[in-house]
Amino acid sequence: MSNTTIHDKVWAAVTQAFKLPMAFIRQMITKLINRVLMSTLPSPKMAGQAIVDSNRRKMVVGLGNPGMSGSRHSVGMAVLTTLAERLGTPDSWRPDREVSGEVVVTQLQDIQLVLLRPKLLMNINGVSVAKAASKFLIPPEHILLIHDELDKPLGKFGIKHGGSARGHNGVRSCVDCLHTDVMPRLRIGIGRPSGKTPVDRYVLGRFSQEEQNVLDSVMKQSVDVLLTFLTDSQSQTSPAEGRRASRKNKARTLSPPQDTTEEHKQN
């Protein structure tokens, strides 16, 4: 066996040995940052209405990186923007320093709906979510996260009722900051990179024009599903039920058809 081959094998073994510890260290650093940034929470804005309205107040969060609205990793923000347009509030976004994000407060039937676009990096999006939850008195089970999903191909999406973050750093930050995993999620498929393209480079990259055409249909359909979910009282679960649902009851995914109306008839 040549010296070069031995060197390559030793180096590969050393690299592999350091992968897990480094990932663990990154997670610990992120958790520390989360906790430092959450050392002060904003005062509740609606304390006088807490008992009356807590069950009729919900929040939808588009996870992503600020300033990277066209990237795969920020597709959650794109869907949230489409939702705001559907609700007739596309120009109602207001910066809110208390929650480190942009906020829209609107009405959906008898629900007071808070839309949130975090202004923090994806890995610490949870800080913004937890601060907004504290300010607007919204329990975790009434917070819906929209985010990209590597394990779904582009063109597929679905609702997941709580459970593990499944490696998604933005969701992991939300779980850490809210101290629970019961938040329902609308997962938008972006597929995995082909060849040897690193995942981090892939998710931070932009959609091609062909991919964007598919995504446009996905965003319209996913907003339809999202609105149904928000207004369906049976879709909400208690914290314990949320954990069970995360393992057993995942909503089916949908493909964007040529005719959106026909798709709903078929499904």
Side-chain angles (χ1 to χ4, degrees), residues 3 8 27 48 65 84 98 121 131 146 149 159 240 261 263:
N3 289 337
D8 289 344
Q27 285 187 29
N65 286 306
E98 286 188 303
L121 293 176
K131 285 185 173 183
I146 313 174
E149 178 57 61
I159 298 284
T261 303
E263 175 71 7

Side-chain angles (χ1 to χ4, degrees), residues 59 95 127 186 213 237 247 255:
M59 181 162 66
V127 173
L186 175 59
N213 292 337
T237 60
R247 294 191 292 270
S255 300

